[in-house]
Amino acid sequence: MESAKYRGKGVMPHVLRIFTQNLFESFDLHRIWARPFEHNKASQRVLLKAGFYYEGLLRESILKEGVFLNSTVYALIKN
């Protein structure tokens, strides 16, 4: 797969930092949050590298294909 050559190079955290900075500058936002699945460690790492903070675990918070799954909460507060 072509995208595999970019994996682990820090592209997504960089893009997310630019995107969230643009959101804060363009809109009257104070807080941006994300809720990746608990088992999605790659997405959680991207959020942390982009400056988001882990806020907690939401047990059985998402119903997917008939199964309740845990999600995590990460947030970024405007400086």
Side-chain angles (χ1 to χ4, degrees):
M1 180 180 226
E2 186 66 25
S3 65
K5 69 181 179 179
Y6 299 106
R7 195 169 295 137
K9 305 283 192 228
V11 173
M12 284 311 297
H14 178 71
V15 169
L16 185 56
R17 279 191 296 274
I18 292 170
F19 180 69
T20 54
Q21 179 181 352
N22 189 313
L23 287 174
F24 282 131
E25 291 172 358
S26 300
F27 300 97
D28 186 25
L29 299 175
H30 177 71
R31 182 176 189 273
I32 298 171
W33 55 273
R35 284 183 46 198
F37 291 116
E38 179 184 30
H39 65 267
N40 192 337
K41 301 302 181 190
S43 290
Q44 293 174 37
R45 280 192 303 275
V46 166
L47 290 163
L48 288 171
K49 289 179 180 181
F52 282 69
Y53 289 89
Y54 174 77
E55 292 190 334
L57 174 70
L58 300 173
R59 296 175 55 227
E60 298 186 7
S61 58
I62 299 174
L63 180 62
K64 182 177 179 183
E65 298 175 0
V67 177
F68 282 102
L69 300 172
N70 296 342
S71 66
T72 54
V73 179
Y74 289 81
L76 184 64
I77 308 271
K78 183 176 183 177
N79 293 343

